């Protein structure tokens, strides 16, 4: 969707007088602008960056940044650009301190008035320094893939090293993520690490290979490779000999990886947030049908139809593995304590099919617990519909109830 140095005094003032209108005009349209595209049922925030004769656009709520523009014209006080990748365009003029114009896409013309500056998004849960705990920058290596992972080890508040504490390795969801699992300006892993540090629990969160300070082959990587990265993280933590228990907390694909690691008996306990219980092609089919329902269309997509569509699209090793992977066998071989959490309004990993399947497959364990939060989405935020475009609109990063439940359960299984 969518100056010039003048040395001679006599000519200096004359030249400045001549340039002032031009400079004012250039400053008028140059820079960053933000505004909401009003679709009636919802608003989509857009950010426009005008830099000289270049222009890009961000759609924060859709996770899109740096959408390149084809510049038609940029003048002192106006801009006219097209965005080929999304089939859209914007034409606006500066007046009364605002950039007013029209955004066009797929034949629709919508007014778009933008104000100067970056869009300020409230994220009250994001930790801000000074922190009451110590953090340590670390690296560990997945020797199997020669991948080096860089992360942040967060120690509990008041930790002095005299007593061993539980530690949790955090594994992010699909798509390359930084150590905070940053998405839509939310930093859920940073929030979780902060909360657990205040509850006496250490954490290690790391950049995915190819992100931040981490290195490794991304083009050929599948979930198995990312699982091996996480396994190297567990080995690193055990090698420190400072922890009573080493657990894994995985979100989405990270939850799937947690089940894989548990089958291999790597962690002492696992926590899955929106982990999958059914095969990848079924996941994609359910996601598609959810979107169709949201659009008021018949949600009749079948797995067979979805696979036929996939055959006509260019894919990659990760995707090819994902659509064929069935987590059933991994889940059925989990013997360590497991905390399985899902949001009832999750539109990416639907609870009805995934949580029920996990419940039927997970072996009995007195310390294991499965819980659904009826009003939470895939990021475990309180929401209205659970649709992806709500994520950026919601100020809360993750439910306080979920944070509390995670900390309490870790203490129960980590004497």
């Amino acid at each position: 969707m969518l100056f010039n140095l003048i040395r001679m005094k006599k000519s200096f003032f004359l030249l400045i007088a001549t340039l002032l209108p031009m400079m004012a005009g250039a400053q008028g349209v140059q820079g960053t602008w933000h505004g909401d595209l009003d679709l009636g049922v919802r608003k989509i925030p857009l950010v426009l960056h005008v830099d000289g004769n270049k222009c890009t656009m961000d759609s924060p709520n859709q996770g899109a940044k740096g959408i390149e523009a084809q510049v038609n014209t940029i003048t002192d006080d106006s801009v006219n650009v097209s965005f080929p990748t999304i089939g859209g365009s914007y034409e606006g003029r500066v007046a009364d301190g605002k950039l007013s114009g029209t955004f066009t896409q797929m034949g629709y013309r919508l007014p778009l008035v933008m104000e100067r500056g970056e869009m300020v998004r409230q994220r009250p849960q994001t930790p801000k320094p000074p922190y009451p705990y110590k953090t340590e920058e670390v690296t560990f290596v997945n020797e199997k893939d020669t991948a080096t992972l860089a992360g942040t080890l967060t120690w509990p508040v008041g930790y002095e090293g005299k007593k061993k504490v539980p530690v949790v390795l955090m594994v992010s969801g699909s798509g390359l993520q930084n150590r905070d699992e940053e998405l839509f300006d939310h930093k859920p892993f940073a929030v979780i690490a902060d909360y657990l540090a205040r509850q006496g629990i250490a954490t290690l969160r790391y950049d995915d290979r190819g992100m931040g300070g981490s290195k490794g082959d991304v083009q050929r990587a599948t979930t198995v490779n990312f699982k091996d990265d996480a396994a190297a993280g567990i080995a690193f933590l055990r090698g420190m000999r400072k922890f009573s228990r080493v657990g894994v907390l995985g979100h989405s694909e990270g939850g799937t990886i947690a089940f894989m690691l548990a089958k291999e008996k790597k962690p002492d306990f696992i926590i899955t947030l929106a982990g999958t219980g059914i095969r990848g092609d079924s996941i994609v089919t359910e996601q598609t049908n959810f979107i169709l329902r949201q659009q008021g269309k018949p949600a009749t997509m079948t797995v067979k139809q979805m696979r036929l569509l996939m055959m006509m699209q260019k894919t990659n090793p990760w995707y090819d593995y994902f659509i064929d992977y069935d987590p059933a066998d991994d889940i059925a071989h989990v013997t360590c304590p497991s905390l399985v959490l899902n949001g009832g309004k999750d539109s990416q990993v639907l609870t009805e099919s995934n949580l029920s399947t996990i419940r039927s497959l997970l072996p009995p364990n007195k310390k294991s617990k499965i819980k659904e939060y009826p009003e939470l989405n895939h990021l475990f935020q309180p929401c209205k519909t659970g649709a992806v475009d709500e994520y950026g609109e919601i100020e809360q990063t993750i439910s306080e109830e979920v944070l509390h439940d995670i900390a309490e359960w870790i203490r129960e299984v980590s004497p």
Side-chain angles (χ1 to χ4, degrees), residues 259 272 275-278 331-332 340-342 351-365 368-373:
F259 285 133
T272 69
T276 62
I278 60 178
I331 297 171
V340 180
L341 308 179
N342 279 69
T351 297
E352 184 176 355
S353 56
N354 287 277
L355 200 59
S356 60
T357 301
I358 294 172
R359 195 185 302 273
S360 68
L361 292 169
L362 193 66
N365 187 309
S368 292
K369 183 177 181 179
I370 299 176
K371 183 174 181 177
E372 176 185 349
Y373 302 86

Side-chain angles (χ1 to χ4, degrees), residues 339-351:
L339 178 63
V340 180
L341 308 179
N342 279 69
K345 291 186 177 180
D346 191 332
S347 64
Q348 294 182 254
V349 179
L350 277 65
T351 297

Side-chain angles (χ1 to χ4, degrees), residues 230-343:
I234 295 175
F236 169 77
L237 291 171
R238 291 200 186 281
M240 294 182 70
R241 302 183 181 277
K242 294 183 179 181
F243 306 107
S244 58
R245 296 286 188 277
V246 178
V248 171
L249 180 151
H251 176 233
S252 198
E253 182 188 23
T256 299
I257 289 172
F259 285 133
M260 290 176 161
L261 293 168
K263 178 186 177 181
E264 297 176 358
K265 303 190 183 305
K266 294 285 197 303
D268 297 316
F269 61 86
I270 62 171
I271 302 166
T272 69
L273 305 176
T276 62
I278 60 178
R279 204 167 69 175
D281 53 5
S282 295
I283 294 287
V284 177
T285 302
E286 290 190 340
Q287 292 174 349
T288 302
N289 282 327
F290 177 90
I291 294 171
L292 290 171
R293 283 192 294 271
Q294 289 287 305
Q295 296 174 343
K297 299 176 181 178
T300 57
M301 180 67 71
T302 66
V303 171
K304 184 177 180 180
Q305 291 171 328
M306 178 57 67
R307 293 195 73 97
L308 287 173
L309 287 173
M310 291 174 183
M311 290 174 63
M312 295 184 288
Q313 298 176 5
K314 184 178 180 180
T315 61
N316 56 51
W318 180 89
Y319 195 76
D320 292 339
Y321 180 88
F322 168 74
I323 62 172
D324 288 330
Y325 170 71
D326 188 336
D329 184 65
D330 290 326
I331 297 171
H333 285 85
V334 173
T335 58
C336 67
S338 307
L339 178 63
V340 180
L341 308 179
N342 279 69

Side-chain angles (χ1 to χ4, degrees), residues 10 61 85 155 172 220 225 256 258 281 316 374 376:
K10 290 184 179 180
N61 283 12
T85 58
W155 298 97
S172 69
R220 294 175 293 178
N225 301 105
T256 299
D281 53 5
N316 56 51
L376 304 186

Side-chain angles (χ1 to χ4, degrees), residues 139-204:
T139 59
F140 56 92
V141 178
N142 169 7
E143 295 183 356
K144 185 184 297 185
D145 282 2
T146 61
T148 300
L149 295 310
T152 300
L153 181 59
T154 301
W155 298 97
V157 173
Y159 177 78
E160 296 178 351
K162 297 178 181 179
K163 180 181 177 181
K164 289 186 176 182
V165 296
V167 65
V168 177
L169 178 79
M170 301 191 202
V171 186
S172 69
S174 59
L176 298 182
Q177 314 266 339
N178 65 21
R179 66 192 67 188
D180 296 330
E181 201 189 33
E182 187 170 356
L183 186 68
F184 307 106
D185 295 331
H186 287 291
K187 300 180 179 181
F189 279 8
V191 173
I192 294 172
D194 179 85
Y195 188 91
L196 294 183
R198 299 169 190 269
Q199 304 299 318
I201 301 164
T203 58
L204 173 56

